[in-house]
Amino acid sequence: MSTLDDPVMWGFKGFPSTDASLARWVLAAEDICFKNAVLSYIFRLGKCIPITRGGGIYQEHMNEALERLSDGQWLHTFPEGKVSQEDGPIRRLKWGTASLIVRAPVTPIVLPIVHHGLQEVMPENYFRGRRPPLPLCNKRINIVVGEPIEFNLPKMREMAITASRDFSLPTLGWPSASPCGLDEAAQRSLYNAISDRIQAVMESLRIFSKKNLTS
C-alpha cells in the first residue's frame, strides 16, 4: 500500500520487534532502497535483500533469499511486486514468491497478511503527485493475519507436469528447477497454481478486513 509498509506494519502490540534474531528478512526494491552506499548499508542492517524489479525470478539475490529460507529464517515478501493504493481486489501475484516456495530445501509455511491504512499514512499523491515529507499521523491501520498455508508440492508437481503439456508459450531459458528438474513449462504451471492459491487466500482476507474492520 505504501513505501512504509515494512517495517511499520511490524510495530503492532505483542510483536517481538526488539529481538533482531527473530526479525524478518525482506525482499526490497534495489532501485529504491539500494540507490547509494549509505542506503545500502542501512537497509542491509535492516535485513533487506535487494531485488531488481524486472530482473526475473532467477536473478542472483533470489539465491540469497533461498539461503535464508534454508537456514529456517522468516522471509517476508510483497508478492504483488509493486505499490498500489487503489481500493480494489488483490492483483495477480508475481511468480517470485512461488519460485522460492518450490526451490527451498524445506517447503516453507506461508503466512498470509493483508493490511489497510498505510496508504493514508504515506499517500503517493499527497501534494502535486508527491509523497508527504513525513508520515501523516492519526491514521487507522488494520492488519489481518490469516491461517498458515501449507503446500503438498509432490502432488502439485505431478499436476503441473500434466497441465504443462498444454503450454505453448515461448521459453525464456529458465534453468531446470531443483531438486526435481522441472522444465520451464512445468515450472510456469506450478508457480501459477501456487500464486493463484495465495492470491485467493489474500483476497478472502482483504474482503474480511473491509467488511469487519473498517467500520
Side-chain angles (χ1 to χ4, degrees), residues 26 39 43 71 95 102 105 153 157 165 170 180 191 203 208:
V26 63
L39 285 177
F43 282 100
D71 294 337
W95 285 350
V102 171
L153 284 186
R157 287 190 183 98
R165 294 167 184 161
C180 296
Y191 297 163
E203 178 62 14
F208 172 84

Side-chain angles (χ1 to χ4, degrees), residues 74 82 133 137 150 191 215:
W74 167 24
K82 64 181 294 185
C137 300
E150 298 190 48
Y191 297 163
S215 58

